[in-house]
Amino acid sequence: MARLLSVNVGLPRDVEWNGRVVHTGIWKDSVRGRCRVGRLNLEGDGQGDLAGHGGEHRAVFVYQIESYRHWEAQLGRTDFVHGQFGENFTVEGLPDNSVCIGDRYRIGSALFEVTQPRVTCYRVGIRMNEPRMPALLTGSGRPGFYFRVLREGEVGAGDDIVKEGEAEERMTVAEINALLYLSEHARDRLERALRIEALSHGWRQSFEALLQSRAGAEGSGNAGLIPAAAVHTAAPGFRPLTVTAIDQESVDVLSLTIQGPNGQPLPTTLPGQYVVVRLRRTAGGPPLFRSYSLSGPPSTERYRISVKIEPNGAAGAYLREHVRVGAVLDVSAPRGSFVLGAGERPVVLLSAGIGATPVLAMLHALAAARSTRQVLWLHGARDGEHHPFAAEVRRLTQALPQGRAYVCYSRPGARDRMGEEFDATGHLSRSVLDEVRLPREADVYLCGPAHFMEAMKEAVAAASVARERIHLEIFNGGESRTPGVVGGAGRAPHLPKDDTGTGPQVSFARSGIAPRWKASAYRSILELAEACDVLVRWSCRTGVCHSCESGLISGAVTYEPEPLDPPAEGNVLICCSRPQGDVVIDI
């Protein structure tokens, strides 16, 4: 019979790691005597990152003493103590290749149900002093598993573990773990997994995403893990496109229409996407990379990009001063996941300044489709001279059966007429959202300067729009995900202090910097990005979780370690990759 060897608890603490402070509950100590089990955790226990750990379906983490023996042999270690792997229950028996999701066990006076394998992150590597540990645990089929508490009670070391029931669909913890993280995602097995009622919500979502994708298709990547920022992949590389028109949209915004040579068709775009433009200002000099949203109607014949000319902006100044009709620009395939979603819900297109460009493409798409959805265009500008696309937006909204627009000027000029060019003086705010009766059930697409984005995101949420329906486009970089790290640099991206090497150039396109790779200083592109204060996403740091998956705009990489499941074609896992030559990454 299986037996509970140790009950382990611990409250989160701050620990130093790689020059940073991490808040984590990975350290656990054995409990003497009996321990109370609540619905969400054990008495005296806590989690440092509730987004990745804890909650009803992850109340108690279980790991087996037999796996301890395996890792002692594999790693040559003799220093393990109960709780070494961050588990609450150290058990004898209950192997991952025998225990099934939905199995129910009585321990002491409490009743538990198996809900999912453990999702390993970098913090187990900190606790084990072995950075490879997330990949080792997941790839070995020995991840451990979580219990949900069906009946609260008390447990203690030495208690027998008595099986009380099981799910009708029998799939082991190891099978479920492999189905998500390894490269084979067979449709019949995904369908079986989804029939298990006890399977936790997060894993169910991942399997549903895999089932809806081309499960197992070569090069399709892992739809169950890929972050939203990397969902819409694009082929790497640049193609020469010819400038066929240049239009002055306002005093500081220029639009360029570009087409393929000899009228060759262009890749299909999704409304809201952008392209990366490579600008070679001087012969032999380093190129500039800039991301520009496609601001025109959907087309495979021509693209339109619109550029704000900043006072000290190198790329904008170059385009204004040196690019003329007939010039050839190097342009990537369209990319980005800030795209207009399908459905019948109302659409709110909310922008300020040059942030109008991606949502303008969405407005064009809605007008082209003669959409009957309720469409609300909200825009903020300084004045009429700094208000690009004004007439274009009026024409498009008037063509929609349920289209309307509301524009705020913060400092209207003497010739600006309220009720014609703009609707109110001031900035977009919560009071404006109330005045225009922002539909609570709407999908909101938001783009603009950083301070505007932050303020409006909170204002829209305060207007009772669900946060999952608030979609953001961030021009420079993106939202970071560094679980458990306390604070952050908060600095703009910059070249690293030691950017003196002659290695390959790693260009972070959305952050606007291009440091040199130095193999002696960095183990991965992620580490280089962190040295530059580029906003990044990660969790496992060993090629398991795909949180860091990003677009590979050009170039090639090698992996060390090899990821358990490769990213989609056109993407890269920056946590375990190194450049083979010059590369351009979409962060």
Side-chain angles (χ1 to χ4, degrees), residues 105-429:
Y105 296 95
R106 176 172 50 81
I107 308 175
S109 58
L111 184 64
F112 305 90
E113 181 178 62
V114 180
T115 58
Q116 66 169 71
R118 178 190 193 157
V119 177
T120 56
C121 70
Y122 74 107
R123 282 160 290 201
V124 71
I126 298 176
R127 175 67 179 90
M128 296 291 294
N129 195 27
E130 173 50 79
R132 301 174 299 158
M133 211 64 219
L136 294 175
L137 287 168
T138 305
S140 68
R142 295 174 177 269
F145 56 85
Y146 280 107
F147 273 149
R148 179 162 71 105
V149 179
L150 299 180
R151 184 178 67 234
E152 297 180 342
E154 289 190 347
V155 298
D159 285 349
D160 288 335
I161 302 175
V162 181
K163 190 171 186 179
E164 295 271 309
E166 58 185 35
E168 292 184 11
E169 193 69 59
R170 307 291 292 154
M171 293 188 74
T172 68
V173 169
E175 287 177 303
I176 291 289
N177 177 76
L179 186 59
L180 178 59
Y181 286 110
L182 303 188
S183 57
E184 294 186 9
H185 314 289
R187 177 171 292 275
D188 62 333
R189 297 178 68 78
L190 291 169
E191 291 171 344
R192 283 184 59 202
L194 288 170
R195 289 196 292 268
I196 304 173
E197 293 184 5
L199 185 67
S200 67
H201 178 67
W203 282 68
R204 184 173 299 279
Q205 283 187 315
S206 293
F207 289 147
E208 286 172 347
L210 278 167
L211 197 59
Q212 292 167 10
S213 73
R214 296 176 298 146
E218 185 177 355
S220 64
N222 192 321
L225 297 174
I226 190 170
V231 165
H232 298 288
T233 58
F238 293 88
R239 62 189 300 175
L241 300 184
T242 302
V243 178
T244 57
I246 300 177
D247 297 292
Q248 192 76 41
E249 306 289 359
S250 66
V251 294
D252 58 355
V253 174
L254 199 67
S255 283
L256 287 77
T257 301
I258 48 182
Q259 294 182 246
N262 302 318
Q264 293 178 3
L266 301 174
T268 302
T269 68
L270 297 173
Q273 290 191 306
Y274 59 89
V275 293
V276 179
V277 179
R278 178 171 60 192
L279 301 174
R280 299 188 182 276
R281 295 179 296 170
T282 59
L288 285 178
F289 296 94
R290 292 294 185 270
S291 300
Y292 295 121
S293 295
L294 298 168
S295 60
S299 174
T300 57
E301 181 182 347
R302 61 179 59 87
Y303 296 155
R304 184 180 73 175
I305 59 174
S306 300
V307 182
K308 184 178 181 182
I309 313 300
E310 301 283 2
N312 299 310
Y318 176 80
L319 290 171
R320 181 185 59 193
E321 301 298 333
H322 299 284
V323 173
R324 300 291 180 264
V325 171
V328 175
L329 300 177
D330 293 335
V331 182
S332 78
R335 56 182 62 244
S337 299
F338 179 72
V339 298
L340 179 66
E344 299 300 323
R345 283 196 296 261
V347 175
V348 175
L349 305 175
L350 177 55
S351 61
I354 195 61
T357 53
V359 292
L360 178 56
M362 297 180 185
L363 185 62
H364 269 290
L366 290 163
R370 300 180 180 177
S371 175
T372 58
R373 298 169 75 173
Q374 182 182 348
V375 178
L376 174 60
W377 173 274
L378 294 171
H379 183 71
R382 182 191 305 177
D383 53 32
E385 289 190 338
H386 296 84
H387 183 190
F389 319 114
E392 188 174 329
V393 168
R394 282 196 295 270
R395 173 176 57 82
L396 293 169
T397 52
Q398 289 170 5
L400 288 164
Q402 296 195 74
R404 58 190 176 112
Y406 192 93
V407 176
C408 292
Y409 282 178
S410 59
R411 289 182 287 174
R415 292 183 293 180
D416 295 331
R417 293 165 297 180
M418 185 179 292
E420 295 187 28
E421 283 90 359
F422 71 107
D423 300 283
T425 299
H427 296 277
L428 291 170
S429 63

Side-chain angles (χ1 to χ4, degrees), residues 229 272-274 291-293 335-339 350 354-355 357-359 362 445-454 457 470-481 493 509-512 535-537 586-587:
Q273 290 191 306
Y274 59 89
S291 300
Y292 295 121
S293 295
R335 56 182 62 244
S337 299
F338 179 72
V339 298
L350 177 55
I354 195 61
T357 53
V359 292
M362 297 180 185
Y445 298 88
L446 173 59
C447 187
H451 64 279
F452 166 83
M453 299 265 286
E454 189 61 33
K457 181 174 67 172
I470 305 173
H471 312 281
L472 310 178
E473 173 65 308
I474 301 174
F475 282 135
N476 298 322
E479 291 188 295
S480 65
R481 183 175 185 269
R510 305 203 84 185
S511 301
L535 294 177
V536 289
R537 308 178 305 271
D586 190 24
I587 56 175

Side-chain angles (χ1 to χ4, degrees), residues 227 229-230 537 547-552 570-574 585-587:
R537 308 178 305 271
S547 295
C548 71
E549 188 166 338
S550 305
L552 179 62
N571 284 351
V572 59
L573 300 181
I574 63 172
I585 309 294
D586 190 24
I587 56 175

